[in-house]
Amino acid sequence: MEAVKGSIVDEWKELPLGARASLEQQWKGLADGGLPCGSAIIGADGSVVAAGRNHAYVAAGKIETRAQLPLQDSRLAHAELNALALIPTAADHALLTLWSTQHPCLMCASAVRFTGIGRVNFIADDPSDHSATGAIEATRGGVPYDALGSPLWWTASNLLFLYNSAVQRGEEARNLKSNLPRYPRLVLLTLKLAKTDALGPLARSSTPLAGALEKHESAIREASKDFVKKGVSLESRA
């Protein structure tokens, strides 16, 4: 079991900058009501040079919004692509590290390889991808990938990922039904919090993520046992 270092707020402060930036984007995605997934790109100097979140299920809105987010309301609008689109062509992509809350899908992994991003770090596996580990790893194309490896943040990130589906469709949500056998504690916790929309108002009021999760820390740590039991399907490998 994961050693408890302190409160969830304390552990938030210890996270790498890319992980925090990605989770903050995911939190904003929950507030949007779409599919919460976040990404950030870290430059050679260690700063955040770009960030994005999934906009596939967010209405395109006015022309001013579409000018800033041309992929919005399309199946291409994944967090990683929205972040990558902010990196100029002339930038040395090999010096950049992409962080994502979930392991990049086939489309995003292909974009990472094509653009020449140096490496990828991710917080959790993708609950919507039930492919065999070998099939997922084949999408990496030689780009080094590393899992954060934290049961706490794996659980928190996948809770956010599943949350809006649970609010909107409850137990009938496809992602919840398909993951119940794999991650029962995580799914049941998500459904419990979604039933009263415990997180949505906090996200929409710009409450910091760690503070919003602190009230549910004990339940999140209990659900993190799914990580220990099942393990992350994508091991940290170069």
Side-chain angles (χ1 to χ4, degrees), residues 5-210:
K5 303 175 183 178
S7 73
I8 199 167
V9 174
D10 292 334
E11 292 198 41
W12 169 262
K13 296 174 184 177
E14 296 178 4
L15 282 173
L17 178 60
R20 280 185 277 125
S22 298
L23 285 163
E24 286 170 346
Q25 288 293 316
Q26 189 175 29
W27 187 227
K28 291 178 180 179
L30 189 146
D32 288 341
L35 178 64
C37 186
S39 184
I41 298 175
I42 303 298
D45 64 353
S47 66
V48 176
V49 296
R53 61 184 182 276
N54 189 298
H55 285 277
Y57 302 97
V58 180
K62 299 179 180 180
I63 188 63
E64 293 82 5
T65 302
R66 296 201 298 273
Q68 296 173 355
L69 296 164
L71 297 179
Q72 189 159 306
D73 193 30
S74 81
R75 295 185 182 186
L76 298 175
H78 286 200
E80 297 90 339
L81 293 190
N82 281 311
L84 287 168
L86 297 174
I87 303 298
T89 299
D92 188 346
H93 287 54
L95 299 178
L96 304 176
T97 297
L98 182 141
W99 275 86
S100 187
T101 52
Q102 275 65 45
H103 183 282
C105 69
L106 172 61
M107 176 177 69
C108 294
S110 297
V112 165
R113 180 184 182 187
F114 182 84
T115 56
I117 292 291
R119 70 181 307 111
V120 172
N121 293 326
F122 61 98
I123 296 170
D125 57 329
D126 182 351
S128 64
D129 192 342
H130 292 251
S131 303
T133 301
I136 296 174
E137 289 178 345
T139 68
R140 297 179 178 177
V143 179
Y145 275 54
D146 287 297
L148 179 65
S150 165
L152 172 66
W153 293 107
W154 175 94
T155 304
S157 182
N158 276 341
L159 166 64
L160 300 185
F161 185 91
L162 296 170
Y163 185 82
N164 282 339
S165 294
V167 169
Q168 294 158 11
R169 293 180 290 279
E171 295 178 2
E172 295 306 309
R174 182 174 60 183
N175 257 350
L176 277 294
K177 292 174 72 173
S178 66
N179 280 286
L180 183 58
R182 295 202 299 172
Y183 311 126
R185 296 178 183 87
L186 170 64
V187 170
L188 292 176
L189 173 59
T190 304
L191 288 168
K192 179 181 178 180
L193 297 182
K195 188 173 183 179
T196 58
D197 197 8
L199 298 179
L202 296 175
R204 290 185 284 275
S205 66
S206 300
T207 299
L209 173 59

